[in-house]
Amino acid sequence: MVGVIPTPSGGRTLSLRIEGISKTYGNGVQALKSLSLTIGNNMFGLLGPNGAGKSTLMRTIATLQDPDEGSIWLDELNVMQNKDAVRRVLGYLPQEFGVYPKMNAVDMLHHLAVMKGITNAGERKDQVEALLKQTNLWDVRKKTLSGYSGGMKQRFGIAQALLGKPRLIIVDEPTAGLDPAERNRFLNLLSSIGQNTVVILSTHIVDDVKELCPRMAIIAGGQVLLEGSPNESLELLRGRIYSRLVRSEEEMNEVQAHFDVISTQMTAGLHQVRVYAESSPGDGFTPIESDLEDVYFLNLKRHQKAV
Ligand code: ADP
């Protein structure tokens, strides 16, 4: 059977196949350009800068908008032709998660659970309580949502996305705007649900992917630039990243002109420059370990040069 892979535990993994999706908006912006991607169980990181097409892709997978071309398959199910069936197994935390009314978390979750079709009162109560505990909102369940912090709102967003025990979960830029402690708590929560479900995490924050995702894709300009595991892509850069300090604007211009600069970072008032080179570039550069930001910035740079 297409896309259904039995797991050693006897369970089933879901497979999401995106095949040649294109989308041009009414204003002429082509947000997706024949994009193809295969996403299996566990946490999948979709990494890309603002405007890359991530939200367009997320909304399309979530059946909220149609592509101009291409198809999406959830196992053997054609997503666009089976929207209701897909919505039954889908949990979605959009980038802009609604307004927060003067309602508390318990009442709001019950309301959303009814809308999701969980009509059995006992089952609804069990799920709402379990989710409030899982997302660490139990103690504040009676507070109005409008008084929640950014992190609490995002955890509530995950709670509502998990109603109905979805097998496909889409979270769009969930950590933007969270402080480090809230972000940590949120990422831990996400990783705890990623085991037996497909979780697609869209983000422009490299560390989100580094910390959580066994598989990832980098997208920009509506296209996939790289698909694989963070470790595999780091391996490709091993021994090819060099760094040195740059002390002046003039020196920086020199370095920019002669080397393949990936990124620069201010350290104690000086620029720390990272470059890509097949072999030692000399000139004061020393080899350093590659990190996922190198992979990301290098791919974006190559893409910008190509367009
Ligand atoms: P990302 O989520 O990676 O920031 P988006 O999917 O939001 O990317 O946007 C991709 C491109 O499509 C951007 O250039 C954006 O301005 C444009 N875009 C997104 N939504 C719309 C829309 N509803 N109408 C017109 N253009 C849009």
Side-chain angles (χ1 to χ4, degrees):
M1 210 190 304
V2 180
V4 182
I5 309 155
T7 59
S9 64
R12 238 172 54 119
T13 69
L14 269 190
S15 153
L16 184 74
R17 283 180 295 123
I18 298 154
E19 295 182 347
I21 292 283
S22 294
K23 176 71 180 180
T24 301
Y25 285 109
N27 59 1
V29 172
Q30 194 178 6
L32 298 175
K33 296 176 186 162
S34 197
L35 184 145
S36 297
L37 205 54
T38 300
I39 297 173
N41 255 26
N42 221 323
M43 194 81 82
F44 189 93
L46 192 70
L47 182 61
N50 286 334
K54 302 184 298 297
S55 291
T56 301
L57 182 60
M58 301 293 93
R59 285 196 300 267
T60 310
I61 299 169
T63 74
L64 299 175
Q65 81 185 42
D66 286 335
D68 304 327
E69 273 172 28
S71 56
I72 302 181
W73 299 84
L74 187 61
D75 284 344
E76 64 275 30
L77 204 66
N78 183 322
V79 167
M80 256 72 78
Q81 288 169 12
N82 295 279
K83 289 181 181 164
D84 286 341
V86 171
R87 285 173 194 162
R88 280 196 288 276
V89 296
L90 173 81
Y92 180 45
L93 174 56
Q95 200 170 354
E96 303 286 334
F97 180 55
V99 282
Y100 290 86
K102 295 253 169 249
M103 218 184 205
N104 69 41
V106 181
D107 294 344
M108 189 70 188
L109 279 181
H110 271 282
H111 169 72
L112 293 171
V114 170
M115 308 238 300
K116 263 200 172 170
I118 309 169
T119 45
N120 181 297
E123 188 191 336
R124 200 164 60 232
K125 185 165 178 286
D126 289 348
Q127 273 201 39
V128 166
E129 287 190 7
L131 285 171
L132 286 167
K133 286 175 184 158
Q134 189 183 353
T135 53
N136 226 344
L137 292 171
W138 183 252
D139 293 346
V140 289
R141 67 192 184 282
K142 298 279 174 62
K143 268 182 83 169
T144 55
L145 293 164
S146 52
Y148 273 18
S149 70
M152 285 153 74
K153 282 179 182 170
Q154 287 305 69
R155 280 184 276 134
F156 178 80
I158 283 294
Q160 65 78 31
L162 290 175
L163 281 168
K165 305 191 174 128
R167 303 187 59 211
L168 168 63
I169 296 162
I170 296 174
V171 279
D172 197 357
E173 302 259 3
T175 61
L178 297 190
D179 70 35
E182 281 179 335
R183 179 176 162 271
N184 236 345
R185 206 172 298 142
F186 186 82
L187 293 183
N188 282 335
L189 171 62
L190 268 191
S191 74
S192 72
I193 59 173
Q195 309 282 316
N196 295 309
T197 32
V198 180
V199 181
I200 307 175
L201 166 67
S202 143
T203 184
H204 64 272
I205 301 169
V206 177
D207 282 344
D208 286 356
V209 173
K210 184 160 84 186
E211 288 167 32
L212 282 187
C213 304
R215 306 284 302 170
M216 66 160 194
I218 297 175
I219 77 166
Q223 294 171 302
V224 174
L225 308 185
L226 177 144
E227 187 181 352
S229 80
N231 284 342
E232 276 163 21
S233 33
L234 277 178
E235 203 49 45
L236 294 175
L237 292 188
R238 187 191 281 275
R240 291 170 180 208
I241 307 296
Y242 295 83
S243 171
R244 85 169 223 214
L245 285 176
V246 170
R247 286 157 210 288
S248 67
E249 211 52 37
E250 217 175 22
E251 206 183 329
M252 181 62 95
N253 291 339
E254 278 281 296
V255 167
Q256 294 275 11
H258 292 102
F259 300 99
D260 194 355
V261 174
I262 301 175
S263 61
T264 64
Q265 203 185 13
M266 288 297 274
T267 319
L270 300 172
H271 293 283
Q272 182 87 41
V273 181
R274 297 170 80 92
V275 301
Y276 174 88
E278 305 269 323
S279 59
S280 175
D283 235 352
F285 281 100
T286 52
I288 47 168
E289 208 161 305
S290 56
D291 66 27
L292 203 57
E293 288 211 336
D294 296 325
V295 174
Y296 181 52
F297 289 133
L298 200 59
N299 272 279
L300 291 185
K301 191 178 168 190
R302 298 280 187 269
H303 171 72
Q304 272 152 14
K305 264 194 180 162
V307 292

